[in-house]
Amino acid sequence: MLTIHHPGGGVRAERNGPVTPGLAVVTDGGRIAEIGSYGKLLETYGGERGGARVRAWDGVLEPGRYAADGTALLEAFYWPDPREADALGTDPVPVAGIAMTDTRWSASARRGVQRLFARGVTAVAGPFTRPQVAAAVRRAGLRDHPADLVSGGDADFTVLGPAPASPSPAPGGPAETCVVTVLGGRLVHRRA
């Protein structure tokens, strides 16, 4: 299905590259069909002519983030179940001192992958030595290398928006937040 992703803040096609306002991205399934001005793409692909749906996002669309520390994040830390918040909190904790069974490793890895998606991550470095972690990464479709946005390339990207307003922003706090993460054309995270 054709989708025109129209980010209000523009498109950053290259990692750490400039943001170009007015651009949009057309995806066709799991691939990027075209990057261009929103008006031109809407004329070409939208409405009855092309039948593409339009998704408007509040933020900057850019290549998915790369977690070079993926092995450490998923194999050295336990990602607690929300039901364990009273005992362990909600942030990842070192696995030392936690009785890790195969089932617990699998569940932790799935939760860790979901938290990475919520940060805009679409690629992680491996290799993974724990079979449960490797399986969770493989099932989620995470890539092992970062990629820029190019026509014909994988539809892996994130939309980053401004941080939610707070009464007293903390120094070093987030300047932006992940609005949406798309991996292989699939919406894998959307901020509530």
Side-chain angles (χ1 to χ4, degrees), residues 73-116:
L73 287 169
L74 297 173
E75 292 191 345
F77 290 92
Y78 174 68
W79 298 78
D81 184 296
R83 295 171 291 189
E84 299 172 305
D86 289 343
L88 297 173
T90 57
D91 292 328
V93 295
V95 295
I98 296 177
M100 296 298 289
T101 63
D102 288 350
T103 302
R104 205 167 204 186
W105 272 114
S106 294
S108 172
R110 286 191 307 272
R111 288 188 296 270
V113 165
Q114 288 302 313
R115 296 275 292 273
L116 292 176

mmCIF file of all heavy atoms in Angstrom, residues 73-116:
data_model
loop_
_atom_site.group_PDB
_atom_site.id
_atom_site.type_symbol
_atom_site.label_atom_id
_atom_site.label_comp_id
_atom_site.label_asym_id
_atom_site.label_seq_id
_atom_site.Cartn_x
_atom_site.Cartn_y
_atom_site.Cartn_z
ATOM 1 N N LEU A 73 22.737 -3.285 25.820
ATOM 2 C CA LEU A 73 21.386 -2.894 26.221
ATOM 3 C C LEU A 73 20.462 -4.093 26.421
ATOM 4 O O LEU A 73 19.625 -4.092 27.314
ATOM 5 C CB LEU A 73 20.775 -1.961 25.179
ATOM 6 C CG LEU A 73 21.321 -0.545 25.129
ATOM 7 C CD1 LEU A 73 20.810 0.176 23.888
ATOM 8 C CD2 LEU A 73 20.946 0.223 26.383
ATOM 9 N N LEU A 74 20.606 -5.110 25.577
ATOM 10 C CA LEU A 74 19.675 -6.233 25.624
ATOM 11 C C LEU A 74 20.199 -7.455 26.365
ATOM 12 O O LEU A 74 19.417 -8.304 26.775
ATOM 13 C CB LEU A 74 19.258 -6.617 24.201
ATOM 14 C CG LEU A 74 18.488 -5.521 23.451
ATOM 15 C CD1 LEU A 74 18.280 -5.920 22.003
ATOM 16 C CD2 LEU A 74 17.167 -5.218 24.134
ATOM 17 N N GLU A 75 21.532 -7.569 26.539
ATOM 18 C CA GLU A 75 22.070 -8.748 27.214
ATOM 19 C C GLU A 75 22.678 -8.461 28.577
ATOM 20 O O GLU A 75 22.818 -9.379 29.374
ATOM 21 C CB GLU A 75 23.106 -9.445 26.321
ATOM 22 C CG GLU A 75 22.470 -10.068 25.099
ATOM 23 C CD GLU A 75 23.412 -10.988 24.343
ATOM 24 O OE1 GLU A 75 24.630 -10.948 24.573
ATOM 25 O OE2 GLU A 75 22.901 -11.755 23.504
ATOM 26 N N ALA A 76 23.021 -7.235 28.852
ATOM 27 C CA ALA A 76 23.611 -6.908 30.156
ATOM 28 C C ALA A 76 22.588 -6.295 31.109
ATOM 29 O O ALA A 76 22.866 -6.126 32.288
ATOM 30 C CB ALA A 76 24.798 -5.961 29.986
ATOM 31 N N PHE A 77 21.409 -5.960 30.576
ATOM 32 C CA PHE A 77 20.371 -5.341 31.395
ATOM 33 C C PHE A 77 19.084 -6.138 31.318
ATOM 34 O O PHE A 77 18.760 -6.733 30.297
ATOM 35 C CB PHE A 77 20.103 -3.902 30.949
ATOM 36 C CG PHE A 77 21.214 -2.964 31.266
ATOM 37 C CD1 PHE A 77 22.222 -2.720 30.346
ATOM 38 C CD2 PHE A 77 21.277 -2.345 32.503
ATOM 39 C CE1 PHE A 77 23.264 -1.875 30.644
ATOM 40 C CE2 PHE A 77 22.315 -1.486 32.815
ATOM 41 C CZ PHE A 77 23.316 -1.251 31.883
ATOM 42 N N TYR A 78 18.358 -6.110 32.418
ATOM 43 C CA TYR A 78 17.035 -6.720 32.497
ATOM 44 C C TYR A 78 16.017 -5.601 32.376
ATOM 45 O O TYR A 78 16.091 -4.596 33.086
ATOM 46 C CB TYR A 78 16.860 -7.466 33.822
ATOM 47 C CG TYR A 78 15.456 -7.995 34.022
ATOM 48 C CD1 TYR A 78 14.967 -9.021 33.220
ATOM 49 C CD2 TYR A 78 14.626 -7.459 34.999
ATOM 50 C CE1 TYR A 78 13.685 -9.507 33.390
ATOM 51 C CE2 TYR A 78 13.339 -7.945 35.176
ATOM 52 C CZ TYR A 78 12.876 -8.961 34.367
ATOM 53 O OH TYR A 78 11.603 -9.440 34.530
ATOM 54 N N TRP A 79 15.081 -5.757 31.455
ATOM 55 C CA TRP A 79 14.027 -4.775 31.238
ATOM 56 C C TRP A 79 12.807 -5.267 32.019
ATOM 57 O O TRP A 79 12.141 -6.207 31.594
ATOM 58 C CB TRP A 79 13.737 -4.648 29.746
ATOM 59 C CG TRP A 79 14.925 -4.158 28.986
ATOM 60 C CD1 TRP A 79 16.027 -4.886 28.616
ATOM 61 C CD2 TRP A 79 15.162 -2.833 28.525
ATOM 62 N NE1 TRP A 79 16.918 -4.088 27.954
ATOM 63 C CE2 TRP A 79 16.416 -2.834 27.882
ATOM 64 C CE3 TRP A 79 14.433 -1.653 28.588
ATOM 65 C CZ2 TRP A 79 16.953 -1.694 27.312
ATOM 66 C CZ3 TRP A 79 14.970 -0.512 28.008
ATOM 67 C CH2 TRP A 79 16.215 -0.530 27.383
ATOM 68 N N PRO A 80 12.531 -4.659 33.179
ATOM 69 C CA PRO A 80 11.480 -5.168 34.070
ATOM 70 C C PRO A 80 10.082 -5.142 33.464
ATOM 71 O O PRO A 80 9.742 -4.269 32.682
ATOM 72 C CB PRO A 80 11.535 -4.229 35.281
ATOM 73 C CG PRO A 80 12.836 -3.537 35.191
ATOM 74 C CD PRO A 80 13.191 -3.487 33.740
ATOM 75 N N ASP A 81 9.312 -6.113 33.896
ATOM 76 C CA ASP A 81 7.892 -6.173 33.590
ATOM 77 C C ASP A 81 7.227 -5.063 34.415
ATOM 78 O O ASP A 81 7.627 -4.825 35.553
ATOM 79 C CB ASP A 81 7.369 -7.553 34.007
ATOM 80 C CG ASP A 81 5.915 -7.746 33.638
ATOM 81 O OD1 ASP A 81 5.058 -7.023 34.174
ATOM 82 O OD2 ASP A 81 5.646 -8.638 32.817
ATOM 83 N N PRO A 82 6.217 -4.373 33.886
ATOM 84 C CA PRO A 82 5.550 -3.329 34.674
ATOM 85 C C PRO A 82 5.035 -3.830 36.029
ATOM 86 O O PRO A 82 4.957 -3.074 36.988
ATOM 87 C CB PRO A 82 4.385 -2.888 33.782
ATOM 88 C CG PRO A 82 4.827 -3.214 32.397
ATOM 89 C CD PRO A 82 5.690 -4.453 32.527
ATOM 90 N N ARG A 83 4.717 -5.129 36.114
ATOM 91 C CA ARG A 83 4.240 -5.685 37.385
ATOM 92 C C ARG A 83 5.356 -5.773 38.424
ATOM 93 O O ARG A 83 5.102 -5.994 39.592
ATOM 94 C CB ARG A 83 3.629 -7.065 37.162
ATOM 95 C CG ARG A 83 2.369 -7.006 36.293
ATOM 96 C CD ARG A 83 1.923 -8.370 35.903
ATOM 97 N NE ARG A 83 2.915 -8.920 34.972
ATOM 98 C CZ ARG A 83 2.765 -10.038 34.292
ATOM 99 N NH1 ARG A 83 1.689 -10.756 34.429
ATOM 100 N NH2 ARG A 83 3.705 -10.453 33.466
ATOM 101 N N GLU A 84 6.607 -5.616 37.987
ATOM 102 C CA GLU A 84 7.747 -5.658 38.896
ATOM 103 C C GLU A 84 8.207 -4.256 39.310
ATOM 104 O O GLU A 84 9.240 -4.100 39.964
ATOM 105 C CB GLU A 84 8.933 -6.373 38.228
ATOM 106 C CG GLU A 84 8.650 -7.803 37.839
ATOM 107 C CD GLU A 84 9.768 -8.408 37.018
ATOM 108 O OE1 GLU A 84 10.132 -7.816 35.978
ATOM 109 O OE2 GLU A 84 10.278 -9.471 37.433
ATOM 110 N N ALA A 85 7.457 -3.239 38.928
ATOM 111 C CA ALA A 85 7.872 -1.849 39.171
ATOM 112 C C ALA A 85 8.110 -1.553 40.646
ATOM 113 O O ALA A 85 9.044 -0.824 40.994
ATOM 114 C CB ALA A 85 6.842 -0.882 38.595
ATOM 115 N N ASP A 86 7.302 -2.118 41.522
ATOM 116 C CA ASP A 86 7.495 -1.850 42.954
ATOM 117 C C ASP A 86 8.839 -2.370 43.438
ATOM 118 O O ASP A 86 9.514 -1.711 44.230
ATOM 119 C CB ASP A 86 6.376 -2.488 43.784
ATOM 120 C CG ASP A 86 5.046 -1.778 43.593
ATOM 121 O OD1 ASP A 86 5.049 -0.625 43.096
ATOM 122 O OD2 ASP A 86 4.008 -2.379 43.925
ATOM 123 N N ALA A 87 9.260 -3.516 42.952
ATOM 124 C CA ALA A 87 10.515 -4.121 43.411
ATOM 125 C C ALA A 87 11.731 -3.652 42.618
ATOM 126 O O ALA A 87 12.799 -3.436 43.185
ATOM 127 C CB ALA A 87 10.411 -5.645 43.328
ATOM 128 N N LEU A 88 11.562 -3.473 41.290
ATOM 129 C CA LEU A 88 12.718 -3.182 40.443
ATOM 130 C C LEU A 88 12.696 -1.812 39.777
ATOM 131 O O LEU A 88 13.686 -1.397 39.180
ATOM 132 C CB LEU A 88 12.839 -4.257 39.346
ATOM 133 C CG LEU A 88 13.093 -5.673 39.817
ATOM 134 C CD1 LEU A 88 13.017 -6.639 38.642
ATOM 135 C CD2 LEU A 88 14.448 -5.771 40.504
ATOM 136 N N GLY A 89 11.563 -1.134 39.814
ATOM 137 C CA GLY A 89 11.439 0.131 39.095
ATOM 138 C C GLY A 89 11.049 -0.131 37.652
ATOM 139 O O GLY A 89 10.698 -1.243 37.272
ATOM 140 N N THR A 90 11.135 0.900 36.830
ATOM 141 C CA THR A 90 10.730 0.757 35.430
ATOM 142 C C THR A 90 11.907 0.859 34.465
ATOM 143 O O THR A 90 11.767 0.538 33.292
ATOM 144 C CB THR A 90 9.687 1.826 35.053
ATOM 145 O OG1 THR A 90 10.238 3.114 35.317
ATOM 146 C CG2 THR A 90 8.399 1.629 35.833
ATOM 147 N N ASP A 91 13.057 1.314 34.948
ATOM 148 C CA ASP A 91 14.239 1.431 34.104
ATOM 149 C C ASP A 91 14.986 0.106 34.061
ATOM 150 O O ASP A 91 14.899 -0.691 34.997
ATOM 151 C CB ASP A 91 15.173 2.527 34.630
ATOM 152 C CG ASP A 91 14.571 3.908 34.488
ATOM 153 O OD1 ASP A 91 13.814 4.120 33.524
ATOM 154 O OD2 ASP A 91 14.858 4.771 35.345
ATOM 155 N N PRO A 92 15.752 -0.131 32.977
ATOM 156 C CA PRO A 92 16.519 -1.374 32.916
ATOM 157 C C PRO A 92 17.521 -1.442 34.062
ATOM 158 O O PRO A 92 18.075 -0.429 34.473
ATOM 159 C CB PRO A 92 17.227 -1.308 31.561
ATOM 160 C CG PRO A 92 17.015 0.063 31.042
ATOM 161 C CD PRO A 92 15.945 0.714 31.823
ATOM 162 N N VAL A 93 17.722 -2.666 34.576
ATOM 163 C CA VAL A 93 18.659 -2.875 35.687
ATOM 164 C C VAL A 93 19.679 -3.940 35.271
ATOM 165 O O VAL A 93 19.362 -4.831 34.487
ATOM 166 C CB VAL A 93 17.921 -3.319 36.979
ATOM 167 C CG1 VAL A 93 17.006 -2.222 37.491
ATOM 168 C CG2 VAL A 93 17.116 -4.583 36.757
ATOM 169 N N PRO A 94 20.919 -3.848 35.777
ATOM 170 C CA PRO A 94 21.911 -4.859 35.438
ATOM 171 C C PRO A 94 21.412 -6.258 35.814
ATOM 172 O O PRO A 94 20.754 -6.439 36.837
ATOM 173 C CB PRO A 94 23.131 -4.467 36.278
ATOM 174 C CG PRO A 94 22.938 -3.007 36.560
ATOM 175 C CD PRO A 94 21.453 -2.803 36.654
ATOM 176 N N VAL A 95 21.738 -7.249 34.973
ATOM 177 C CA VAL A 95 21.255 -8.605 35.214
ATOM 178 C C VAL A 95 21.924 -9.258 36.426
ATOM 179 O O VAL A 95 21.381 -10.224 36.961
ATOM 180 C CB VAL A 95 21.419 -9.520 33.977
ATOM 181 C CG1 VAL A 95 20.549 -9.049 32.853
ATOM 182 C CG2 VAL A 95 22.854 -9.635 33.555
ATOM 183 N N ALA A 96 23.052 -8.729 36.857
ATOM 184 C CA ALA A 96 23.733 -9.303 38.029
ATOM 185 C C ALA A 96 22.778 -9.287 39.219
ATOM 186 O O ALA A 96 22.159 -8.280 39.529
ATOM 187 C CB ALA A 96 24.991 -8.510 38.361
ATOM 188 N N GLY A 97 22.626 -10.418 39.852
ATOM 189 C CA GLY A 97 21.764 -10.516 41.029
ATOM 190 C C GLY A 97 20.323 -10.861 40.709
ATOM 191 O O GLY A 97 19.511 -11.021 41.616
ATOM 192 N N ILE A 98 19.960 -10.980 39.430
ATOM 193 C CA ILE A 98 18.595 -11.355 39.047
ATOM 194 C C ILE A 98 18.640 -12.779 38.517
ATOM 195 O O ILE A 98 19.484 -13.120 37.692
ATOM 196 C CB ILE A 98 18.035 -10.396 37.967
ATOM 197 C CG1 ILE A 98 17.930 -8.980 38.537
ATOM 198 C CG2 ILE A 98 16.681 -10.884 37.466
ATOM 199 C CD1 ILE A 98 17.460 -7.958 37.546
ATOM 200 N N ALA A 99 17.745 -13.598 38.997
ATOM 201 C CA ALA A 99 17.672 -14.990 38.541
ATOM 202 C C ALA A 99 17.077 -14.999 37.133
ATOM 203 O O ALA A 99 15.874 -14.862 36.958
ATOM 204 C CB ALA A 99 16.817 -15.814 39.492
ATOM 205 N N MET A 100 17.936 -15.141 36.121
ATOM 206 C CA MET A 100 17.501 -15.070 34.732
ATOM 207 C C MET A 100 17.281 -16.471 34.157
ATOM 208 O O MET A 100 18.224 -17.215 33.947
ATOM 209 C CB MET A 100 18.535 -14.313 33.892
ATOM 210 C CG MET A 100 18.707 -12.848 34.285
ATOM 211 S SD MET A 100 17.209 -11.850 34.080
ATOM 212 C CE MET A 100 17.090 -11.770 32.306
ATOM 213 N N THR A 101 16.030 -16.797 33.903
ATOM 214 C CA THR A 101 15.671 -18.048 33.237
ATOM 215 C C THR A 101 15.521 -17.761 31.743
ATOM 216 O O THR A 101 15.502 -16.592 31.327
ATOM 217 C CB THR A 101 14.339 -18.588 33.780
ATOM 218 O OG1 THR A 101 13.318 -17.622 33.473
ATOM 219 C CG2 THR A 101 14.396 -18.824 35.288
ATOM 220 N N ASP A 102 15.383 -18.797 30.935
ATOM 221 C CA ASP A 102 15.168 -18.593 29.508
ATOM 222 C C ASP A 102 13.917 -17.753 29.248
ATOM 223 O O ASP A 102 13.913 -16.854 28.409
ATOM 224 C CB ASP A 102 15.040 -19.940 28.776
ATOM 225 C CG ASP A 102 16.366 -20.676 28.661
ATOM 226 O OD1 ASP A 102 17.427 -20.077 28.975
ATOM 227 O OD2 ASP A 102 16.344 -21.854 28.265
ATOM 228 N N THR A 103 12.866 -18.042 29.987
ATOM 229 C CA THR A 103 11.612 -17.296 29.840
ATOM 230 C C THR A 103 11.804 -15.831 30.203
ATOM 231 O O THR A 103 11.319 -14.935 29.505
ATOM 232 C CB THR A 103 10.514 -17.924 30.723
ATOM 233 O OG1 THR A 103 10.356 -19.289 30.341
ATOM 234 C CG2 THR A 103 9.204 -17.183 30.592
ATOM 235 N N ARG A 104 12.526 -15.583 31.264
ATOM 236 C CA ARG A 104 12.756 -14.204 31.699
ATOM 237 C C ARG A 104 13.620 -13.452 30.684
ATOM 238 O O ARG A 104 13.391 -12.282 30.412
ATOM 239 C CB ARG A 104 13.403 -14.204 33.078
ATOM 240 C CG ARG A 104 13.144 -12.938 33.839
ATOM 241 C CD ARG A 104 13.517 -13.086 35.285
ATOM 242 N NE ARG A 104 12.746 -12.114 36.044
ATOM 243 C CZ ARG A 104 12.903 -11.897 37.303
ATOM 244 N NH1 ARG A 104 13.776 -12.616 38.008
ATOM 245 N NH2 ARG A 104 12.184 -10.994 37.926
ATOM 246 N N TRP A 105 14.635 -14.128 30.112
ATOM 247 C CA TRP A 105 15.464 -13.513 29.074
ATOM 248 C C TRP A 105 14.610 -13.130 27.869
ATOM 249 O O TRP A 105 14.753 -12.030 27.321
ATOM 250 C CB TRP A 105 16.592 -14.451 28.628
ATOM 251 C CG TRP A 105 17.829 -14.345 29.438
ATOM 252 C CD1 TRP A 105 18.355 -15.310 30.253
ATOM 253 C CD2 TRP A 105 18.708 -13.221 29.534
ATOM 254 N NE1 TRP A 105 19.509 -14.839 30.849
ATOM 255 C CE2 TRP A 105 19.745 -13.560 30.418
ATOM 256 C CE3 TRP A 105 18.711 -11.955 28.961
ATOM 257 C CZ2 TRP A 105 20.777 -12.689 30.746
ATOM 258 C CZ3 TRP A 105 19.739 -11.080 29.276
ATOM 259 C CH2 TRP A 105 20.764 -11.451 30.157
ATOM 260 N N SER A 106 13.727 -14.021 27.450
ATOM 261 C CA SER A 106 12.870 -13.751 26.289
ATOM 262 C C SER A 106 11.975 -12.551 26.532
ATOM 263 O O SER A 106 11.864 -11.660 25.685
ATOM 264 C CB SER A 106 12.006 -14.978 25.964
ATOM 265 O OG SER A 106 12.810 -16.046 25.542
ATOM 266 N N ALA A 107 11.322 -12.530 27.679
ATOM 267 C CA ALA A 107 10.408 -11.431 28.001
ATOM 268 C C ALA A 107 11.170 -10.111 28.129
ATOM 269 O O ALA A 107 10.715 -9.071 27.641
ATOM 270 C CB ALA A 107 9.651 -11.738 29.283
ATOM 271 N N SER A 108 12.323 -10.145 28.770
ATOM 272 C CA SER A 108 13.140 -8.943 28.924
ATOM 273 C C SER A 108 13.556 -8.399 27.562
ATOM 274 O O SER A 108 13.476 -7.192 27.304
ATOM 275 C CB SER A 108 14.375 -9.247 29.768
ATOM 276 O OG SER A 108 15.259 -8.140 29.767
ATOM 277 N N ALA A 109 13.994 -9.288 26.661
ATOM 278 C CA ALA A 109 14.431 -8.862 25.331
ATOM 279 C C ALA A 109 13.280 -8.242 24.542
ATOM 280 O O ALA A 109 13.456 -7.213 23.886
ATOM 281 C CB ALA A 109 15.028 -10.044 24.568
ATOM 282 N N ARG A 110 12.085 -8.832 24.625
ATOM 283 C CA ARG A 110 10.922 -8.257 23.925
ATOM 284 C C ARG A 110 10.602 -6.863 24.450
ATOM 285 O O ARG A 110 10.348 -5.940 23.670
ATOM 286 C CB ARG A 110 9.703 -9.173 24.068
ATOM 287 C CG ARG A 110 9.772 -10.417 23.213
ATOM 288 C CD ARG A 110 8.435 -11.148 23.183
ATOM 289 N NE ARG A 110 7.893 -11.448 24.486
ATOM 290 C CZ ARG A 110 8.164 -12.539 25.192
ATOM 291 N NH1 ARG A 110 8.981 -13.452 24.704
ATOM 292 N NH2 ARG A 110 7.603 -12.739 26.368
ATOM 293 N N ARG A 111 10.627 -6.700 25.782
ATOM 294 C CA ARG A 111 10.351 -5.375 26.354
ATOM 295 C C ARG A 111 11.453 -4.386 25.983
ATOM 296 O O ARG A 111 11.185 -3.218 25.694
ATOM 297 C CB ARG A 111 10.189 -5.480 27.864
ATOM 298 C CG ARG A 111 8.895 -6.160 28.288
ATOM 299 C CD ARG A 111 8.672 -6.067 29.782
ATOM 300 N NE ARG A 111 9.685 -6.772 30.546
ATOM 301 C CZ ARG A 111 9.615 -8.040 30.921
ATOM 302 N NH1 ARG A 111 8.565 -8.769 30.597
ATOM 303 N NH2 ARG A 111 10.585 -8.602 31.640
ATOM 304 N N GLY A 112 12.701 -4.858 25.969
ATOM 305 C CA GLY A 112 13.819 -3.998 25.593
ATOM 306 C C GLY A 112 13.700 -3.517 24.156
ATOM 307 O O GLY A 112 13.926 -2.337 23.861
ATOM 308 N N VAL A 113 13.328 -4.416 23.258
ATOM 309 C CA VAL A 113 13.144 -4.041 21.852
ATOM 310 C C VAL A 113 12.035 -3.001 21.732
ATOM 311 O O VAL A 113 12.175 -2.007 21.006
ATOM 312 C CB VAL A 113 12.849 -5.296 20.991
ATOM 313 C CG1 VAL A 113 12.292 -4.916 19.633
ATOM 314 C CG2 VAL A 113 14.102 -6.143 20.837
ATOM 315 N N GLN A 114 10.935 -3.188 22.450
ATOM 316 C CA GLN A 114 9.851 -2.201 22.396
ATOM 317 C C GLN A 114 10.311 -0.837 22.903
ATOM 318 O O GLN A 114 9.941 0.202 22.348
ATOM 319 C CB GLN A 114 8.634 -2.692 23.206
ATOM 320 C CG GLN A 114 7.902 -3.824 22.539
ATOM 321 C CD GLN A 114 7.411 -3.454 21.155
ATOM 322 O OE1 GLN A 114 6.826 -2.401 20.943
ATOM 323 N NE2 GLN A 114 7.676 -4.316 20.187
ATOM 324 N N ARG A 115 11.129 -0.822 23.953
ATOM 325 C CA ARG A 115 11.651 0.454 24.472
ATOM 326 C C ARG A 115 12.607 1.103 23.472
ATOM 327 O O ARG A 115 12.657 2.320 23.354
ATOM 328 C CB ARG A 115 12.345 0.240 25.816
ATOM 329 C CG ARG A 115 11.436 -0.247 26.940
ATOM 330 C CD ARG A 115 10.687 0.823 27.697
ATOM 331 N NE ARG A 115 11.493 1.682 28.490
ATOM 332 C CZ ARG A 115 11.875 1.472 29.746
ATOM 333 N NH1 ARG A 115 11.523 0.365 30.362
ATOM 334 N NH2 ARG A 115 12.599 2.354 30.383
ATOM 335 N N LEU A 116 13.370 0.283 22.736
ATOM 336 C CA LEU A 116 14.248 0.834 21.694
ATOM 337 C C LEU A 116 13.415 1.446 20.567
ATOM 338 O O LEU A 116 13.730 2.535 20.071
ATOM 339 C CB LEU A 116 15.192 -0.238 21.156
ATOM 340 C CG LEU A 116 16.251 -0.742 22.133
ATOM 341 C CD1 LEU A 116 17.062 -1.873 21.507
ATOM 342 C CD2 LEU A 116 17.160 0.380 22.600
#
